[in-house]
Amino acid sequence: DCGTANGAATITVHTLDVIGPLEVCLVDEADLTATFTTSGGNWTYTGPIGAIATFSNEQDATPSVSVDVPGAYQFVFTDDVCSMQRTWNVAFTPAPTIEVSMDTNRICLEGEITLSYQVNTDIYDQLQWDQYAEESDTLVLPGTDSLTYSAFDTLFHVSATITNFCGTATDEVAYQVIDCNLDIPNVFNPDSDVPENAYFNIVALGLHAGNNVKIFDRWGRKCYDVDNYHLNPWDGGKESDGVYFWMLERPGYEAESGYVHLVHGAGN
């Protein structure tokens, strides 16, 4: 406050006060009010680096203010007589957005998938996970960011929703729970009319990237050795009929081995 004296008898005490909202959505305007007893004044502001606040009138006692970036702003009114200042802080908040991502789009039976999310603001009331399956099944939600399923060949949808006073945002992802157990044949026929029987075809091995298969004849000679075997399964090459020994390695599992019969001839 400040005062002016008129002669020795009259003293005028000037006052100043400002008021406004504490939180405003980024797309809206903040209505500020300065109450003062002087003839006028001027508004200024500070805010995030590079931010611009636009007043409807910087000399108006009740301006509307819009900003171009979210964040905390401090608005200052300075009167034009006593240079008194009063401040008002306003947080401009964007409407929320959310993006959900996952570490894989397919998981094995009893497997676990990890979900993560990104939001454009840390100002929101809650984060809500929801899930549903295209076929009825049971889901277990062990934690906020991970989901464990016990299902087979079922497409699951998981969504995350955040809400603040400026709105609500939801994002959804979908992925499939499948049987990753291998089906390893004990015989194959390179002359078969059925394409999948014409190779030493290990069913579901494609779900285990980084695998390696080695094949040996009865004398221990290596006949075949390839990484990511599911992309190049063995067709027998120029090997003769007989029993062959195979070894399989895949990430996260113990090595496996067994025997397969190579039999040429018409038919299946």
Side-chain angles (χ1 to χ4, degrees):
D1 300 339
C2 73
T4 59
N6 184 6
T10 303
I11 298 177
T12 302
V13 178
H14 295 289
T15 61
L16 171 63
D17 194 16
V18 297
I19 194 171
L22 297 176
E23 293 180 316
V24 177
C25 295
L26 182 61
V27 296
D28 297 330
E29 295 180 334
D31 295 324
L32 304 175
T33 299
T35 304
F36 50 89
T37 56
T38 59
S39 58
N42 186 71
W43 288 96
T44 57
Y45 73 93
T46 58
I49 296 175
I52 297 176
T54 303
F55 292 86
S56 57
N57 187 335
E58 294 178 359
Q59 283 77 44
D60 192 346
T62 57
S64 296
V65 187
S66 61
V67 301
D68 61 341
V69 297
Y73 290 76
Q74 184 176 82
F75 298 100
V76 182
F77 187 84
T78 304
D79 86 290
D80 57 5
V81 173
C82 302
S83 296
M84 290 186 297
Q85 290 187 333
R86 294 292 185 270
T87 63
W88 191 260
N89 297 318
V90 182
F92 283 84
T93 302
T97 63
I98 186 169
E99 182 178 355
V100 179
S101 58
M102 52 192 174
D103 57 355
T104 180
N105 61 2
R106 293 191 298 180
I107 59 175
C108 299
L109 289 172
E110 307 296 339
E112 184 172 290
I113 191 168
T114 299
L115 303 177
S116 59
Y117 61 90
Q118 289 185 327
V119 295
N120 66 330
T121 176
D122 57 1
I123 301 176
Y124 55 87
D125 300 326
Q126 61 180 347
L127 170 67
Q128 177 67 45
W129 290 101
D130 293 295
Q131 63 280 323
Y132 67 91
E134 292 190 354
E135 300 175 10
S136 178
D137 221 308
T138 300
L139 292 81
V140 180
L141 186 64
T144 302
D145 296 331
S146 63
L147 300 169
T148 302
Y149 304 106
S150 297
F152 170 62
D153 200 24
T154 302
L155 188 63
F156 287 97
H157 300 258
V158 177
S159 64
T161 301
I162 60 171
T163 301
N164 66 18
F165 64 92
C166 295
T168 298
T170 299
D171 191 28
E172 179 179 288
V173 291
Y175 37 92
Q176 194 171 30
V177 179
I178 53 179
D179 188 349
C180 297
N181 292 325
L182 302 181
D183 184 4
I184 305 176
N186 57 18
V187 63
F188 76 101
N189 175 9
D191 301 321
S192 174
D193 297 329
V194 181
E196 55 267 29
N197 293 342
Y199 296 85
F200 178 38
N201 182 34
I202 302 177
V203 177
L205 188 57
L207 302 174
H208 305 270
N211 62 77
N212 173 270
V213 172
K214 297 178 178 65
I215 298 174
F216 304 85
D217 65 15
R218 66 175 66 185
W219 295 282
R221 178 178 60 89
K222 186 188 296 182
C223 305
Y224 201 66
D225 184 352
V226 66
D227 293 328
N228 288 317
Y229 177 85
H230 57 285
L231 300 177
N232 294 286
W234 188 45
D235 63 0
K238 298 181 179 180
E239 303 298 332
S240 58
D241 291 2
V243 177
Y244 291 82
F245 178 74
W246 56 264
M247 294 181 60
L248 165 64
E249 295 178 319
R250 49 181 171 148
Y253 293 82
E254 293 184 1
E256 301 172 69
S257 61
Y259 294 91
V260 62
H261 291 251
L262 168 60
V263 180
H264 289 84
N268 295 331

PDB file of all heavy atoms in Angstrom, residues 33-70:
ATOM      1  N   THR A  33      -8.233 -10.438 -12.496  1.00  0.00           N
ATOM      2  CA  THR A  33      -8.864  -9.207 -12.004  1.00  0.00           C
ATOM      3  C   THR A  33      -7.908  -8.492 -11.060  1.00  0.00           C
ATOM      4  O   THR A  33      -7.402  -9.093 -10.104  1.00  0.00           O
ATOM      5  CB  THR A  33     -10.174  -9.512 -11.250  1.00  0.00           C
ATOM      6  OG1 THR A  33     -11.093 -10.141 -12.140  1.00  0.00           O
ATOM      7  CG2 THR A  33     -10.793  -8.225 -10.714  1.00  0.00           C
ATOM      8  N   ALA A  34      -7.654  -7.228 -11.358  1.00  0.00           N
ATOM      9  CA  ALA A  34      -6.867  -6.375 -10.462  1.00  0.00           C
ATOM     10  C   ALA A  34      -7.801  -5.335  -9.851  1.00  0.00           C
ATOM     11  O   ALA A  34      -8.534  -4.644 -10.566  1.00  0.00           O
ATOM     12  CB  ALA A  34      -5.736  -5.696 -11.224  1.00  0.00           C
ATOM     13  N   THR A  35      -7.780  -5.235  -8.534  1.00  0.00           N
ATOM     14  CA  THR A  35      -8.590  -4.240  -7.824  1.00  0.00           C
ATOM     15  C   THR A  35      -7.642  -3.222  -7.205  1.00  0.00           C
ATOM     16  O   THR A  35      -6.791  -3.579  -6.382  1.00  0.00           O
ATOM     17  CB  THR A  35      -9.438  -4.906  -6.730  1.00  0.00           C
ATOM     18  OG1 THR A  35     -10.241  -5.936  -7.321  1.00  0.00           O
ATOM     19  CG2 THR A  35     -10.337  -3.890  -6.056  1.00  0.00           C
ATOM     20  N   PHE A  36      -7.776  -1.969  -7.614  1.00  0.00           N
ATOM     21  CA  PHE A  36      -6.825  -0.954  -7.165  1.00  0.00           C
ATOM     22  C   PHE A  36      -7.538   0.389  -7.022  1.00  0.00           C
ATOM     23  O   PHE A  36      -8.627   0.606  -7.566  1.00  0.00           O
ATOM     24  CB  PHE A  36      -5.661  -0.831  -8.152  1.00  0.00           C
ATOM     25  CG  PHE A  36      -6.093  -0.681  -9.583  1.00  0.00           C
ATOM     26  CD1 PHE A  36      -6.340   0.577 -10.126  1.00  0.00           C
ATOM     27  CD2 PHE A  36      -6.267  -1.800 -10.386  1.00  0.00           C
ATOM     28  CE1 PHE A  36      -6.739   0.712 -11.442  1.00  0.00           C
ATOM     29  CE2 PHE A  36      -6.667  -1.668 -11.706  1.00  0.00           C
ATOM     30  CZ  PHE A  36      -6.902  -0.408 -12.244  1.00  0.00           C
ATOM     31  N   THR A  37      -6.896   1.275  -6.278  1.00  0.00           N
ATOM     32  CA  THR A  37      -7.484   2.595  -6.035  1.00  0.00           C
ATOM     33  C   THR A  37      -6.725   3.702  -6.746  1.00  0.00           C
ATOM     34  O   THR A  37      -7.060   4.878  -6.597  1.00  0.00           O
ATOM     35  CB  THR A  37      -7.508   2.890  -4.526  1.00  0.00           C
ATOM     36  OG1 THR A  37      -6.191   2.770  -3.999  1.00  0.00           O
ATOM     37  CG2 THR A  37      -8.440   1.922  -3.807  1.00  0.00           C
ATOM     38  N   THR A  38      -5.709   3.326  -7.503  1.00  0.00           N
ATOM     39  CA  THR A  38      -5.002   4.324  -8.296  1.00  0.00           C
ATOM     40  C   THR A  38      -5.677   4.447  -9.653  1.00  0.00           C
ATOM     41  O   THR A  38      -6.710   3.824  -9.910  1.00  0.00           O
ATOM     42  CB  THR A  38      -3.523   3.926  -8.469  1.00  0.00           C
ATOM     43  OG1 THR A  38      -3.459   2.651  -9.117  1.00  0.00           O
ATOM     44  CG2 THR A  38      -2.831   3.848  -7.120  1.00  0.00           C
ATOM     45  N   SER A  39      -5.081   5.203 -10.535  1.00  0.00           N
ATOM     46  CA  SER A  39      -5.721   5.468 -11.824  1.00  0.00           C
ATOM     47  C   SER A  39      -5.542   4.347 -12.832  1.00  0.00           C
ATOM     48  O   SER A  39      -6.219   4.315 -13.862  1.00  0.00           O
ATOM     49  CB  SER A  39      -5.166   6.769 -12.418  1.00  0.00           C
ATOM     50  OG  SER A  39      -3.749   6.668 -12.567  1.00  0.00           O
ATOM     51  N   GLY A  40      -4.640   3.403 -12.583  1.00  0.00           N
ATOM     52  CA  GLY A  40      -4.437   2.328 -13.540  1.00  0.00           C
ATOM     53  C   GLY A  40      -3.165   1.564 -13.265  1.00  0.00           C
ATOM     54  O   GLY A  40      -2.536   1.699 -12.212  1.00  0.00           O
ATOM     55  N   GLY A  41      -2.780   0.751 -14.228  1.00  0.00           N
ATOM     56  CA  GLY A  41      -1.574  -0.042 -14.061  1.00  0.00           C
ATOM     57  C   GLY A  41      -1.294  -0.871 -15.297  1.00  0.00           C
ATOM     58  O   GLY A  41      -1.874  -0.658 -16.367  1.00  0.00           O
ATOM     59  N   ASN A  42      -0.428  -1.865 -15.136  1.00  0.00           N
ATOM     60  CA  ASN A  42       0.017  -2.641 -16.291  1.00  0.00           C
ATOM     61  C   ASN A  42       0.312  -4.079 -15.862  1.00  0.00           C
ATOM     62  O   ASN A  42       0.850  -4.324 -14.779  1.00  0.00           O
ATOM     63  CB  ASN A  42       1.277  -2.011 -16.889  1.00  0.00           C
ATOM     64  CG  ASN A  42       1.696  -2.693 -18.172  1.00  0.00           C
ATOM     65  OD1 ASN A  42       1.031  -2.562 -19.196  1.00  0.00           O
ATOM     66  ND2 ASN A  42       2.797  -3.439 -18.112  1.00  0.00           N
ATOM     67  N   TRP A  43      -0.027  -5.036 -16.755  1.00  0.00           N
ATOM     68  CA  TRP A  43       0.222  -6.455 -16.506  1.00  0.00           C
ATOM     69  C   TRP A  43       1.506  -6.905 -17.207  1.00  0.00           C
ATOM     70  O   TRP A  43       1.775  -6.522 -18.337  1.00  0.00           O
ATOM     71  CB  TRP A  43      -0.925  -7.313 -17.042  1.00  0.00           C
ATOM     72  CG  TRP A  43      -2.200  -7.229 -16.259  1.00  0.00           C
ATOM     73  CD1 TRP A  43      -3.271  -6.434 -16.522  1.00  0.00           C
ATOM     74  CD2 TRP A  43      -2.537  -7.983 -15.098  1.00  0.00           C
ATOM     75  NE1 TRP A  43      -4.264  -6.629 -15.603  1.00  0.00           N
ATOM     76  CE2 TRP A  43      -3.839  -7.585 -14.710  1.00  0.00           C
ATOM     77  CE3 TRP A  43      -1.879  -8.943 -14.334  1.00  0.00           C
ATOM     78  CZ2 TRP A  43      -4.491  -8.122 -13.601  1.00  0.00           C
ATOM     79  CZ3 TRP A  43      -2.530  -9.481 -13.231  1.00  0.00           C
ATOM     80  CH2 TRP A  43      -3.812  -9.077 -12.869  1.00  0.00           C
ATOM     81  N   THR A  44       2.279  -7.735 -16.523  1.00  0.00           N
ATOM     82  CA  THR A  44       3.412  -8.442 -17.121  1.00  0.00           C
ATOM     83  C   THR A  44       3.337  -9.899 -16.665  1.00  0.00           C
ATOM     84  O   THR A  44       2.481 -10.260 -15.854  1.00  0.00           O
ATOM     85  CB  THR A  44       4.762  -7.832 -16.694  1.00  0.00           C
ATOM     86  OG1 THR A  44       4.846  -7.845 -15.262  1.00  0.00           O
ATOM     87  CG2 THR A  44       4.897  -6.402 -17.211  1.00  0.00           C
ATOM     88  N   TYR A  45       4.243 -10.720 -17.168  1.00  0.00           N
ATOM     89  CA  TYR A  45       4.189 -12.145 -16.798  1.00  0.00           C
ATOM     90  C   TYR A  45       5.558 -12.784 -16.925  1.00  0.00           C
ATOM     91  O   TYR A  45       6.456 -12.280 -17.613  1.00  0.00           O
ATOM     92  CB  TYR A  45       3.201 -12.894 -17.698  1.00  0.00           C
ATOM     93  CG  TYR A  45       3.698 -13.102 -19.111  1.00  0.00           C
ATOM     94  CD1 TYR A  45       4.381 -14.266 -19.474  1.00  0.00           C
ATOM     95  CD2 TYR A  45       3.506 -12.122 -20.089  1.00  0.00           C
ATOM     96  CE1 TYR A  45       4.848 -14.452 -20.765  1.00  0.00           C
ATOM     97  CE2 TYR A  45       3.966 -12.302 -21.380  1.00  0.00           C
ATOM     98  CZ  TYR A  45       4.636 -13.465 -21.715  1.00  0.00           C
ATOM     99  OH  TYR A  45       5.108 -13.647 -22.991  1.00  0.00           O
ATOM    100  N   THR A  46       5.706 -13.913 -16.260  1.00  0.00           N
ATOM    101  CA  THR A  46       6.823 -14.834 -16.478  1.00  0.00           C
ATOM    102  C   THR A  46       6.229 -16.223 -16.648  1.00  0.00           C
ATOM    103  O   THR A  46       5.169 -16.531 -16.100  1.00  0.00           O
ATOM    104  CB  THR A  46       7.816 -14.837 -15.305  1.00  0.00           C
ATOM    105  OG1 THR A  46       7.121 -15.190 -14.098  1.00  0.00           O
ATOM    106  CG2 THR A  46       8.478 -13.485 -15.143  1.00  0.00           C
ATOM    107  N   GLY A  47       6.913 -17.058 -17.423  1.00  0.00           N
ATOM    108  CA  GLY A  47       6.410 -18.404 -17.686  1.00  0.00           C
ATOM    109  C   GLY A  47       7.520 -19.305 -18.178  1.00  0.00           C
ATOM    110  O   GLY A  47       8.708 -18.966 -18.074  1.00  0.00           O
ATOM    111  N   PRO A  48       7.181 -20.469 -18.722  1.00  0.00           N
ATOM    112  CA  PRO A  48       8.192 -21.381 -19.255  1.00  0.00           C
ATOM    113  C   PRO A  48       9.041 -20.700 -20.328  1.00  0.00           C
ATOM    114  O   PRO A  48       8.587 -19.765 -21.002  1.00  0.00           O
ATOM    115  CB  PRO A  48       7.354 -22.527 -19.846  1.00  0.00           C
ATOM    116  CG  PRO A  48       6.054 -22.466 -19.105  1.00  0.00           C
ATOM    117  CD  PRO A  48       5.813 -21.018 -18.832  1.00  0.00           C
ATOM    118  N   ILE A  49      10.255 -21.181 -20.483  1.00  0.00           N
ATOM    119  CA  ILE A  49      11.168 -20.594 -21.465  1.00  0.00           C
ATOM    120  C   ILE A  49      10.542 -20.650 -22.858  1.00  0.00           C
ATOM    121  O   ILE A  49      10.087 -21.697 -23.310  1.00  0.00           O
ATOM    122  CB  ILE A  49      12.513 -21.341 -21.463  1.00  0.00           C
ATOM    123  CG1 ILE A  49      13.206 -21.171 -20.108  1.00  0.00           C
ATOM    124  CG2 ILE A  49      13.414 -20.836 -22.589  1.00  0.00           C
ATOM    125  CD1 ILE A  49      14.483 -21.967 -19.972  1.00  0.00           C
ATOM    126  N   GLY A  50      10.515 -19.502 -23.512  1.00  0.00           N
ATOM    127  CA  GLY A  50       9.986 -19.424 -24.866  1.00  0.00           C
ATOM    128  C   GLY A  50       8.485 -19.293 -24.947  1.00  0.00           C
ATOM    129  O   GLY A  50       7.933 -19.156 -26.049  1.00  0.00           O
ATOM    130  N   ALA A  51       7.795 -19.340 -23.812  1.00  0.00           N
ATOM    131  CA  ALA A  51       6.333 -19.265 -23.820  1.00  0.00           C
ATOM    132  C   ALA A  51       5.871 -17.831 -24.058  1.00  0.00           C
ATOM    133  O   ALA A  51       6.532 -16.866 -23.672  1.00  0.00           O
ATOM    134  CB  ALA A  51       5.772 -19.782 -22.505  1.00  0.00           C
ATOM    135  N   ILE A  52       4.713 -17.715 -24.687  1.00  0.00           N
ATOM    136  CA  ILE A  52       4.121 -16.402 -24.953  1.00  0.00           C
ATOM    137  C   ILE A  52       2.726 -16.360 -24.356  1.00  0.00           C
ATOM    138  O   ILE A  52       1.891 -17.232 -24.625  1.00  0.00           O
ATOM    139  CB  ILE A  52       4.054 -16.114 -26.463  1.00  0.00           C
ATOM    140  CG1 ILE A  52       5.460 -16.072 -27.060  1.00  0.00           C
ATOM    141  CG2 ILE A  52       3.314 -14.806 -26.732  1.00  0.00           C
ATOM    142  CD1 ILE A  52       5.480 -15.891 -28.561  1.00  0.00           C
ATOM    143  N   ALA A  53       2.481 -15.351 -23.537  1.00  0.00           N
ATOM    144  CA  ALA A  53       1.152 -15.097 -22.992  1.00  0.00           C
ATOM    145  C   ALA A  53       0.578 -13.866 -23.681  1.00  0.00           C
ATOM    146  O   ALA A  53       1.261 -12.847 -23.827  1.00  0.00           O
ATOM    147  CB  ALA A  53       1.213 -14.883 -21.487  1.00  0.00           C
ATOM    148  N   THR A  54      -0.667 -13.972 -24.106  1.00  0.00           N
ATOM    149  CA  THR A  54      -1.311 -12.880 -24.831  1.00  0.00           C
ATOM    150  C   THR A  54      -2.465 -12.332 -24.001  1.00  0.00           C
ATOM    151  O   THR A  54      -3.403 -13.069 -23.662  1.00  0.00           O
ATOM    152  CB  THR A  54      -1.831 -13.367 -26.195  1.00  0.00           C
ATOM    153  OG1 THR A  54      -0.738 -13.923 -26.941  1.00  0.00           O
ATOM    154  CG2 THR A  54      -2.452 -12.221 -26.973  1.00  0.00           C
ATOM    155  N   PHE A  55      -2.383 -11.046 -23.678  1.00  0.00           N
ATOM    156  CA  PHE A  55      -3.435 -10.376 -22.908  1.00  0.00           C
ATOM    157  C   PHE A  55      -4.442  -9.745 -23.866  1.00  0.00           C
ATOM    158  O   PHE A  55      -4.072  -9.225 -24.926  1.00  0.00           O
ATOM    159  CB  PHE A  55      -2.843  -9.273 -22.026  1.00  0.00           C
ATOM    160  CG  PHE A  55      -1.977  -9.767 -20.906  1.00  0.00           C
ATOM    161  CD1 PHE A  55      -0.633 -10.027 -21.113  1.00  0.00           C
ATOM    162  CD2 PHE A  55      -2.511  -9.965 -19.645  1.00  0.00           C
ATOM    163  CE1 PHE A  55       0.173 -10.470 -20.083  1.00  0.00           C
ATOM    164  CE2 PHE A  55      -1.710 -10.405 -18.599  1.00  0.00           C
ATOM    165  CZ  PHE A  55      -0.368 -10.665 -18.820  1.00  0.00           C
ATOM    166  N   SER A  56      -5.700  -9.754 -23.462  1.00  0.00           N
ATOM    167  CA  SER A  56      -6.697  -9.015 -24.239  1.00  0.00           C
ATOM    168  C   SER A  56      -6.395  -7.520 -24.193  1.00  0.00           C
ATOM    169  O   SER A  56      -6.626  -6.798 -25.166  1.00  0.00           O
ATOM    170  CB  SER A  56      -8.105  -9.299 -23.704  1.00  0.00           C
ATOM    171  OG  SER A  56      -8.190  -8.974 -22.315  1.00  0.00           O
ATOM    172  N   ASN A  57      -5.860  -7.062 -23.055  1.00  0.00           N
ATOM    173  CA  ASN A  57      -5.409  -5.676 -22.910  1.00  0.00           C
ATOM    174  C   ASN A  57      -4.516  -5.620 -21.684  1.00  0.00           C
ATOM    175  O   ASN A  57      -4.972  -5.882 -20.568  1.00  0.00           O
ATOM    176  CB  ASN A  57      -6.601  -4.722 -22.757  1.00  0.00           C
ATOM    177  CG  ASN A  57      -6.169  -3.257 -22.768  1.00  0.00           C
ATOM    178  OD1 ASN A  57      -5.028  -2.923 -22.442  1.00  0.00           O
ATOM    179  ND2 ASN A  57      -7.095  -2.372 -23.138  1.00  0.00           N
ATOM    180  N   GLU A  58      -3.257  -5.272 -21.874  1.00  0.00           N
ATOM    181  CA  GLU A  58      -2.311  -5.282 -20.760  1.00  0.00           C
ATOM    182  C   GLU A  58      -2.580  -4.179 -19.747  1.00  0.00           C
ATOM    183  O   GLU A  58      -2.059  -4.218 -18.632  1.00  0.00           O
ATOM    184  CB  GLU A  58      -0.884  -5.166 -21.298  1.00  0.00           C
ATOM    185  CG  GLU A  58      -0.457  -6.373 -22.117  1.00  0.00           C
ATOM    186  CD  GLU A  58       0.937  -6.207 -22.689  1.00  0.00           C
ATOM    187  OE1 GLU A  58       1.548  -5.148 -22.447  1.00  0.00           O
ATOM    188  OE2 GLU A  58       1.411  -7.133 -23.376  1.00  0.00           O
ATOM    189  N   GLN A  59      -3.361  -3.162 -20.131  1.00  0.00           N
ATOM    190  CA  GLN A  59      -3.694  -2.088 -19.194  1.00  0.00           C
ATOM    191  C   GLN A  59      -5.085  -2.264 -18.585  1.00  0.00           C
ATOM    192  O   GLN A  59      -5.516  -1.451 -17.767  1.00  0.00           O
ATOM    193  CB  GLN A  59      -3.629  -0.721 -19.893  1.00  0.00           C
ATOM    194  CG  GLN A  59      -2.214  -0.192 -20.107  1.00  0.00           C
ATOM    195  CD  GLN A  59      -1.517  -0.876 -21.262  1.00  0.00           C
ATOM    196  OE1 GLN A  59      -2.112  -1.068 -22.317  1.00  0.00           O
ATOM    197  NE2 GLN A  59      -0.261  -1.245 -21.069  1.00  0.00           N
ATOM    198  N   ASP A  60      -5.778  -3.311 -18.983  1.00  0.00           N
ATOM    199  CA  ASP A  60      -7.134  -3.544 -18.483  1.00  0.00           C
ATOM    200  C   ASP A  60      -7.064  -4.160 -17.089  1.00  0.00           C
ATOM    201  O   ASP A  60      -6.226  -5.018 -16.816  1.00  0.00           O
ATOM    202  CB  ASP A  60      -7.871  -4.479 -19.439  1.00  0.00           C
ATOM    203  CG  ASP A  60      -9.365  -4.545 -19.158  1.00  0.00           C
ATOM    204  OD1 ASP A  60      -9.786  -4.083 -18.082  1.00  0.00           O
ATOM    205  OD2 ASP A  60     -10.100  -5.078 -20.000  1.00  0.00           O
ATOM    206  N   ALA A  61      -7.978  -3.757 -16.222  1.00  0.00           N
ATOM    207  CA  ALA A  61      -8.012  -4.326 -14.874  1.00  0.00           C
ATOM    208  C   ALA A  61      -8.507  -5.764 -14.883  1.00  0.00           C
ATOM    209  O   ALA A  61      -8.214  -6.531 -13.962  1.00  0.00           O
ATOM    210  CB  ALA A  61      -8.899  -3.475 -13.969  1.00  0.00           C
ATOM    211  N   THR A  62      -9.258  -6.153 -15.914  1.00  0.00           N
ATOM    212  CA  THR A  62      -9.819  -7.514 -15.973  1.00  0.00           C
ATOM    213  C   THR A  62      -9.524  -8.139 -17.338  1.00  0.00           C
ATOM    214  O   THR A  62     -10.436  -8.385 -18.135  1.00  0.00           O
ATOM    215  CB  THR A  62     -11.333  -7.485 -15.724  1.00  0.00           C
ATOM    216  OG1 THR A  62     -11.953  -6.616 -16.697  1.00  0.00           O
ATOM    217  CG2 THR A  62     -11.650  -6.993 -14.318  1.00  0.00           C
ATOM    218  N   PRO A  63      -8.273  -8.425 -17.622  1.00  0.00           N
ATOM    219  CA  PRO A  63      -7.945  -8.994 -18.933  1.00  0.00           C
ATOM    220  C   PRO A  63      -8.176 -10.503 -18.976  1.00  0.00           C
ATOM    221  O   PRO A  63      -8.217 -11.181 -17.951  1.00  0.00           O
ATOM    222  CB  PRO A  63      -6.456  -8.678 -19.071  1.00  0.00           C
ATOM    223  CG  PRO A  63      -5.955  -8.786 -17.662  1.00  0.00           C
ATOM    224  CD  PRO A  63      -7.062  -8.219 -16.806  1.00  0.00           C
ATOM    225  N   SER A  64      -8.310 -11.004 -20.191  1.00  0.00           N
ATOM    226  CA  SER A  64      -8.263 -12.446 -20.441  1.00  0.00           C
ATOM    227  C   SER A  64      -6.892 -12.764 -21.018  1.00  0.00           C
ATOM    228  O   SER A  64      -6.358 -12.001 -21.830  1.00  0.00           O
ATOM    229  CB  SER A  64      -9.361 -12.864 -21.423  1.00  0.00           C
ATOM    230  OG  SER A  64     -10.642 -12.624 -20.864  1.00  0.00           O
ATOM    231  N   VAL A  65      -6.330 -13.906 -20.595  1.00  0.00           N
ATOM    232  CA  VAL A  65      -4.975 -14.254 -21.008  1.00  0.00           C
ATOM    233  C   VAL A  65      -4.970 -15.664 -21.594  1.00  0.00           C
ATOM    234  O   VAL A  65      -5.528 -16.595 -21.004  1.00  0.00           O
ATOM    235  CB  VAL A  65      -3.990 -14.197 -19.824  1.00  0.00           C
ATOM    236  CG1 VAL A  65      -2.562 -14.403 -20.318  1.00  0.00           C
ATOM    237  CG2 VAL A  65      -4.118 -12.885 -19.082  1.00  0.00           C
ATOM    238  N   SER A  66      -4.341 -15.809 -22.744  1.00  0.00           N
ATOM    239  CA  SER A  66      -4.127 -17.130 -23.333  1.00  0.00           C
ATOM    240  C   SER A  66      -2.629 -17.358 -23.474  1.00  0.00           C
ATOM    241  O   SER A  66      -1.850 -16.407 -23.600  1.00  0.00           O
ATOM    242  CB  SER A  66      -4.811 -17.238 -24.702  1.00  0.00           C
ATOM    243  OG  SER A  66      -4.286 -16.276 -25.605  1.00  0.00           O
ATOM    244  N   VAL A  67      -2.226 -18.637 -23.443  1.00  0.00           N
ATOM    245  CA  VAL A  67      -0.805 -18.974 -23.560  1.00  0.00           C
ATOM    246  C   VAL A  67      -0.641 -20.038 -24.635  1.00  0.00           C
ATOM    247  O   VAL A  67      -1.600 -20.708 -25.024  1.00  0.00           O
ATOM    248  CB  VAL A  67      -0.230 -19.469 -22.215  1.00  0.00           C
ATOM    249  CG1 VAL A  67      -0.388 -18.406 -21.142  1.00  0.00           C
ATOM    250  CG2 VAL A  67      -0.897 -20.767 -21.787  1.00  0.00           C
ATOM    251  N   ASP A  68       0.603 -20.184 -25.111  1.00  0.00           N
ATOM    252  CA  ASP A  68       0.842 -21.118 -26.211  1.00  0.00           C
ATOM    253  C   ASP A  68       1.460 -22.438 -25.775  1.00  0.00           C
ATOM    254  O   ASP A  68       1.478 -23.399 -26.548  1.00  0.00           O
ATOM    255  CB  ASP A  68       1.720 -20.466 -27.278  1.00  0.00           C
ATOM    256  CG  ASP A  68       3.093 -20.066 -26.749  1.00  0.00           C
ATOM    257  OD1 ASP A  68       3.245 -19.966 -25.514  1.00  0.00           O
ATOM    258  OD2 ASP A  68       4.008 -19.850 -27.569  1.00  0.00           O
ATOM    259  N   VAL A  69       1.993 -22.516 -24.567  1.00  0.00           N
ATOM    260  CA  VAL A  69       2.555 -23.772 -24.076  1.00  0.00           C
ATOM    261  C   VAL A  69       2.082 -23.989 -22.643  1.00  0.00           C
ATOM    262  O   VAL A  69       1.831 -23.028 -21.910  1.00  0.00           O
ATOM    263  CB  VAL A  69       4.105 -23.780 -24.123  1.00  0.00           C
ATOM    264  CG1 VAL A  69       4.606 -23.657 -25.542  1.00  0.00           C
ATOM    265  CG2 VAL A  69       4.678 -22.678 -23.255  1.00  0.00           C
ATOM    266  N   PRO A  70       1.939 -25.247 -22.227  1.00  0.00           N
ATOM    267  CA  PRO A  70       1.506 -25.504 -20.853  1.00  0.00           C
ATOM    268  C   PRO A  70       2.601 -25.183 -19.855  1.00  0.00           C
ATOM    269  O   PRO A  70       3.777 -25.068 -20.197  1.00  0.00           O
ATOM    270  CB  PRO A  70       1.188 -27.004 -20.870  1.00  0.00           C
ATOM    271  CG  PRO A  70       2.065 -27.558 -21.947  1.00  0.00           C
ATOM    272  CD  PRO A  70       2.142 -26.487 -22.992  1.00  0.00           C
TER     273      PRO A  70
END
